[in-house]
Amino acid sequence: KEFSLLEFLIRNRDRVYTPDQLVDTLWADDTEVSVDAIRQCVRRLRTKIDVPEKPSYITTVVGVGYKVESVK
């Protein structure tokens, strides 16, 4: 699921997705997934892809959700 989440955010750069939108898009309809599960998935991804002393590739938009920004 981590790879699916990362791939989805990269393919949809600069667009913010709420945890509920991510659940609806990436997890099966019959699967019960909490907002905390999304947070944990993002946290695990960050530990794998982020570079120490640099900003995270996955941006948290406080009160809204997550996004990956285009490289400028």
Side-chain angles (χ1 to χ4, degrees), residues 3-17:
F3 181 78
S4 295
L5 174 59
L6 181 60
E7 179 183 31
F8 178 78
L9 290 172
I10 288 172
R11 287 181 184 268
N12 297 283
R13 284 185 199 117
D14 298 319
R15 188 157 174 220
V16 180
Y17 289 92

PDB file of all heavy atoms in Angstrom, residues 3-17:
ATOM      1  N   PHE A   3       3.653   1.802  -1.575  1.00  0.00           N
ATOM      2  CA  PHE A   3       4.032   2.132  -2.948  1.00  0.00           C
ATOM      3  C   PHE A   3       2.844   2.701  -3.714  1.00  0.00           C
ATOM      4  O   PHE A   3       2.984   3.666  -4.463  1.00  0.00           O
ATOM      5  CB  PHE A   3       4.602   0.905  -3.667  1.00  0.00           C
ATOM      6  CG  PHE A   3       5.016   1.219  -5.074  1.00  0.00           C
ATOM      7  CD1 PHE A   3       6.206   1.868  -5.328  1.00  0.00           C
ATOM      8  CD2 PHE A   3       4.188   0.893  -6.143  1.00  0.00           C
ATOM      9  CE1 PHE A   3       6.585   2.185  -6.633  1.00  0.00           C
ATOM     10  CE2 PHE A   3       4.561   1.204  -7.444  1.00  0.00           C
ATOM     11  CZ  PHE A   3       5.761   1.851  -7.686  1.00  0.00           C
ATOM     12  N   SER A   4       1.679   2.107  -3.530  1.00  0.00           N
ATOM     13  CA  SER A   4       0.471   2.602  -4.208  1.00  0.00           C
ATOM     14  C   SER A   4       0.171   4.044  -3.802  1.00  0.00           C
ATOM     15  O   SER A   4      -0.191   4.864  -4.645  1.00  0.00           O
ATOM     16  CB  SER A   4      -0.730   1.720  -3.882  1.00  0.00           C
ATOM     17  OG  SER A   4      -0.554   0.430  -4.392  1.00  0.00           O
ATOM     18  N   LEU A   5       0.325   4.330  -2.522  1.00  0.00           N
ATOM     19  CA  LEU A   5       0.091   5.691  -2.034  1.00  0.00           C
ATOM     20  C   LEU A   5       1.094   6.661  -2.645  1.00  0.00           C
ATOM     21  O   LEU A   5       0.721   7.724  -3.156  1.00  0.00           O
ATOM     22  CB  LEU A   5       0.178   5.729  -0.512  1.00  0.00           C
ATOM     23  CG  LEU A   5       0.093   7.102   0.143  1.00  0.00           C
ATOM     24  CD1 LEU A   5      -1.217   7.795  -0.198  1.00  0.00           C
ATOM     25  CD2 LEU A   5       0.272   6.981   1.636  1.00  0.00           C
ATOM     26  N   LEU A   6       2.360   6.298  -2.636  1.00  0.00           N
ATOM     27  CA  LEU A   6       3.395   7.154  -3.204  1.00  0.00           C
ATOM     28  C   LEU A   6       3.167   7.373  -4.696  1.00  0.00           C
ATOM     29  O   LEU A   6       3.215   8.505  -5.188  1.00  0.00           O
ATOM     30  CB  LEU A   6       4.778   6.557  -2.960  1.00  0.00           C
ATOM     31  CG  LEU A   6       5.962   7.361  -3.492  1.00  0.00           C
ATOM     32  CD1 LEU A   6       6.016   8.745  -2.858  1.00  0.00           C
ATOM     33  CD2 LEU A   6       7.260   6.597  -3.255  1.00  0.00           C
ATOM     34  N   GLU A   7       2.892   6.310  -5.410  1.00  0.00           N
ATOM     35  CA  GLU A   7       2.645   6.413  -6.850  1.00  0.00           C
ATOM     36  C   GLU A   7       1.449   7.331  -7.137  1.00  0.00           C
ATOM     37  O   GLU A   7       1.509   8.186  -8.016  1.00  0.00           O
ATOM     38  CB  GLU A   7       2.388   5.026  -7.435  1.00  0.00           C
ATOM     39  CG  GLU A   7       2.104   5.054  -8.914  1.00  0.00           C
ATOM     40  CD  GLU A   7       1.767   3.683  -9.469  1.00  0.00           C
ATOM     41  OE1 GLU A   7       1.200   2.847  -8.743  1.00  0.00           O
ATOM     42  OE2 GLU A   7       2.069   3.470 -10.653  1.00  0.00           O
ATOM     43  N   PHE A   8       0.381   7.171  -6.370  1.00  0.00           N
ATOM     44  CA  PHE A   8      -0.813   7.990  -6.568  1.00  0.00           C
ATOM     45  C   PHE A   8      -0.504   9.467  -6.330  1.00  0.00           C
ATOM     46  O   PHE A   8      -0.882  10.327  -7.123  1.00  0.00           O
ATOM     47  CB  PHE A   8      -1.932   7.526  -5.627  1.00  0.00           C
ATOM     48  CG  PHE A   8      -3.171   8.351  -5.741  1.00  0.00           C
ATOM     49  CD1 PHE A   8      -4.048   8.161  -6.792  1.00  0.00           C
ATOM     50  CD2 PHE A   8      -3.453   9.325  -4.798  1.00  0.00           C
ATOM     51  CE1 PHE A   8      -5.194   8.937  -6.907  1.00  0.00           C
ATOM     52  CE2 PHE A   8      -4.593  10.100  -4.907  1.00  0.00           C
ATOM     53  CZ  PHE A   8      -5.470   9.909  -5.959  1.00  0.00           C
ATOM     54  N   LEU A   9       0.193   9.776  -5.250  1.00  0.00           N
ATOM     55  CA  LEU A   9       0.512  11.169  -4.943  1.00  0.00           C
ATOM     56  C   LEU A   9       1.445  11.777  -5.991  1.00  0.00           C
ATOM     57  O   LEU A   9       1.293  12.937  -6.367  1.00  0.00           O
ATOM     58  CB  LEU A   9       1.120  11.288  -3.540  1.00  0.00           C
ATOM     59  CG  LEU A   9       0.161  11.032  -2.380  1.00  0.00           C
ATOM     60  CD1 LEU A   9       0.920  10.994  -1.061  1.00  0.00           C
ATOM     61  CD2 LEU A   9      -0.960  12.057  -2.348  1.00  0.00           C
ATOM     62  N   ILE A  10       2.387  10.997  -6.480  1.00  0.00           N
ATOM     63  CA  ILE A  10       3.309  11.500  -7.507  1.00  0.00           C
ATOM     64  C   ILE A  10       2.564  11.739  -8.823  1.00  0.00           C
ATOM     65  O   ILE A  10       2.779  12.742  -9.487  1.00  0.00           O
ATOM     66  CB  ILE A  10       4.488  10.536  -7.706  1.00  0.00           C
ATOM     67  CG1 ILE A  10       5.420  10.615  -6.495  1.00  0.00           C
ATOM     68  CG2 ILE A  10       5.255  10.860  -8.985  1.00  0.00           C
ATOM     69  CD1 ILE A  10       6.517   9.568  -6.479  1.00  0.00           C
ATOM     70  N   ARG A  11       1.701  10.822  -9.184  1.00  0.00           N
ATOM     71  CA  ARG A  11       0.943  10.979 -10.435  1.00  0.00           C
ATOM     72  C   ARG A  11      -0.021  12.165 -10.371  1.00  0.00           C
ATOM     73  O   ARG A  11      -0.434  12.690 -11.399  1.00  0.00           O
ATOM     74  CB  ARG A  11       0.166   9.709 -10.756  1.00  0.00           C
ATOM     75  CG  ARG A  11       1.036   8.582 -11.223  1.00  0.00           C
ATOM     76  CD  ARG A  11       0.190   7.360 -11.553  1.00  0.00           C
ATOM     77  NE  ARG A  11       1.011   6.241 -11.901  1.00  0.00           N
ATOM     78  CZ  ARG A  11       1.385   5.941 -13.142  1.00  0.00           C
ATOM     79  NH1 ARG A  11       1.019   6.708 -14.147  1.00  0.00           N
ATOM     80  NH2 ARG A  11       2.129   4.879 -13.378  1.00  0.00           N
ATOM     81  N   ASN A  12      -0.400  12.556  -9.167  1.00  0.00           N
ATOM     82  CA  ASN A  12      -1.352  13.650  -8.968  1.00  0.00           C
ATOM     83  C   ASN A  12      -0.696  14.792  -8.193  1.00  0.00           C
ATOM     84  O   ASN A  12      -1.274  15.338  -7.254  1.00  0.00           O
ATOM     85  CB  ASN A  12      -2.589  13.129  -8.230  1.00  0.00           C
ATOM     86  CG  ASN A  12      -3.320  12.092  -9.033  1.00  0.00           C
ATOM     87  OD1 ASN A  12      -4.028  12.409  -9.978  1.00  0.00           O
ATOM     88  ND2 ASN A  12      -3.105  10.831  -8.698  1.00  0.00           N
ATOM     89  N   ARG A  13       0.522  15.151  -8.604  1.00  0.00           N
ATOM     90  CA  ARG A  13       1.291  16.196  -7.923  1.00  0.00           C
ATOM     91  C   ARG A  13       0.508  17.484  -7.769  1.00  0.00           C
ATOM     92  O   ARG A  13      -0.320  17.823  -8.608  1.00  0.00           O
ATOM     93  CB  ARG A  13       2.562  16.513  -8.709  1.00  0.00           C
ATOM     94  CG  ARG A  13       3.604  15.489  -8.560  1.00  0.00           C
ATOM     95  CD  ARG A  13       4.872  15.930  -9.275  1.00  0.00           C
ATOM     96  NE  ARG A  13       5.670  14.743  -9.495  1.00  0.00           N
ATOM     97  CZ  ARG A  13       5.993  14.269 -10.667  1.00  0.00           C
ATOM     98  NH1 ARG A  13       5.652  14.893 -11.762  1.00  0.00           N
ATOM     99  NH2 ARG A  13       6.682  13.169 -10.764  1.00  0.00           N
ATOM    100  N   ASP A  14       0.845  18.192  -6.697  1.00  0.00           N
ATOM    101  CA  ASP A  14       0.307  19.515  -6.397  1.00  0.00           C
ATOM    102  C   ASP A  14      -1.177  19.507  -6.033  1.00  0.00           C
ATOM    103  O   ASP A  14      -1.768  20.558  -5.853  1.00  0.00           O
ATOM    104  CB  ASP A  14       0.553  20.499  -7.551  1.00  0.00           C
ATOM    105  CG  ASP A  14       2.038  20.700  -7.805  1.00  0.00           C
ATOM    106  OD1 ASP A  14       2.793  20.803  -6.827  1.00  0.00           O
ATOM    107  OD2 ASP A  14       2.433  20.751  -8.982  1.00  0.00           O
ATOM    108  N   ARG A  15      -1.756  18.356  -5.937  1.00  0.00           N
ATOM    109  CA  ARG A  15      -3.163  18.258  -5.541  1.00  0.00           C
ATOM    110  C   ARG A  15      -3.229  17.647  -4.140  1.00  0.00           C
ATOM    111  O   ARG A  15      -2.578  16.637  -3.873  1.00  0.00           O
ATOM    112  CB  ARG A  15      -3.912  17.385  -6.529  1.00  0.00           C
ATOM    113  CG  ARG A  15      -5.370  17.395  -6.281  1.00  0.00           C
ATOM    114  CD  ARG A  15      -6.143  17.013  -7.520  1.00  0.00           C
ATOM    115  NE  ARG A  15      -7.538  16.924  -7.116  1.00  0.00           N
ATOM    116  CZ  ARG A  15      -8.379  16.010  -7.524  1.00  0.00           C
ATOM    117  NH1 ARG A  15      -7.993  15.108  -8.392  1.00  0.00           N
ATOM    118  NH2 ARG A  15      -9.605  15.994  -7.094  1.00  0.00           N
ATOM    119  N   VAL A  16      -3.995  18.268  -3.262  1.00  0.00           N
ATOM    120  CA  VAL A  16      -4.110  17.803  -1.882  1.00  0.00           C
ATOM    121  C   VAL A  16      -5.237  16.783  -1.788  1.00  0.00           C
ATOM    122  O   VAL A  16      -6.327  17.005  -2.322  1.00  0.00           O
ATOM    123  CB  VAL A  16      -4.397  18.987  -0.929  1.00  0.00           C
ATOM    124  CG1 VAL A  16      -4.516  18.494   0.510  1.00  0.00           C
ATOM    125  CG2 VAL A  16      -3.314  20.039  -1.045  1.00  0.00           C
ATOM    126  N   TYR A  17      -4.956  15.677  -1.108  1.00  0.00           N
ATOM    127  CA  TYR A  17      -5.954  14.631  -0.895  1.00  0.00           C
ATOM    128  C   TYR A  17      -6.163  14.420   0.594  1.00  0.00           C
ATOM    129  O   TYR A  17      -5.209  14.287   1.339  1.00  0.00           O
ATOM    130  CB  TYR A  17      -5.509  13.307  -1.536  1.00  0.00           C
ATOM    131  CG  TYR A  17      -5.569  13.364  -3.030  1.00  0.00           C
ATOM    132  CD1 TYR A  17      -4.462  13.749  -3.771  1.00  0.00           C
ATOM    133  CD2 TYR A  17      -6.747  13.067  -3.703  1.00  0.00           C
ATOM    134  CE1 TYR A  17      -4.520  13.833  -5.149  1.00  0.00           C
ATOM    135  CE2 TYR A  17      -6.812  13.148  -5.086  1.00  0.00           C
ATOM    136  CZ  TYR A  17      -5.701  13.529  -5.797  1.00  0.00           C
ATOM    137  OH  TYR A  17      -5.761  13.611  -7.156  1.00  0.00           O
TER     138      TYR A  17
END
